[in-house]
Amino acid sequence: DSKSKIIGKSPCEFSPEKQPDGKFSKDKEFEITSISEENGKAKFEWWNQINDGKLVPVEVMLTSILLNGKKVFHALCRDVSERKQMEQKLEYLSYHDQLTGLYNRRFYEEELKRLDIKRNLPMTIVMGDVNGLKLINDSFGHVAGDELLKKVAEVITKGCRGDDVIARLGG
């Protein structure tokens, strides 16, 4: 919250011990400053720890410059919390059914390819159909049909193991 608290300090002095990629902040700082010295600049994502201990994702543009004849680093940090949240939301939506929260066809097909190896054989695939869904939609409306699909998804999820892949391929 004040320039005086960060000027002249190493990024590690206001960062957690480890970055999200699992690397120690000190090691990553060395790696990045080496790149910046070599290329004159570097752009990367980093986690800063603010005064209350909260971690904030930032995008850093680091530039190696001459200041009074001395080589120093100039860093511009930008809070990217909102962008990160949006990326996570988009990633979730790209692999999950919007109605039930189960995995979608796209995820299912990719996961099936990944799991189709000798070590996982024999593999069991169980498919089900909600009989009468069209009749429920026509008689009581799509809201009632959607509620039925959500309940079915909940029942199936409760009946499966935590590492089982449960996906909705229809609708």
Side-chain angles (χ1 to χ4, degrees), residues 21 24 61 76 79 86-87 99-100 105-106 124-125 148 164:
D21 61 4
F24 284 98
M61 293 190 340
L76 178 65
D79 184 338
M86 186 57 69
E87 285 173 358
L99 177 67
T100 62
R105 178 181 295 275
R106 178 181 175 193
T124 302
I125 297 175
L148 175 61
D164 289 340

Side-chain angles (χ1 to χ4, degrees), residues 133-146:
L133 180 61
K134 182 177 177 357
L135 180 65
I136 290 170
N137 282 336
D138 292 345
S139 302
F140 302 106
H142 287 278
V143 173
D146 289 350

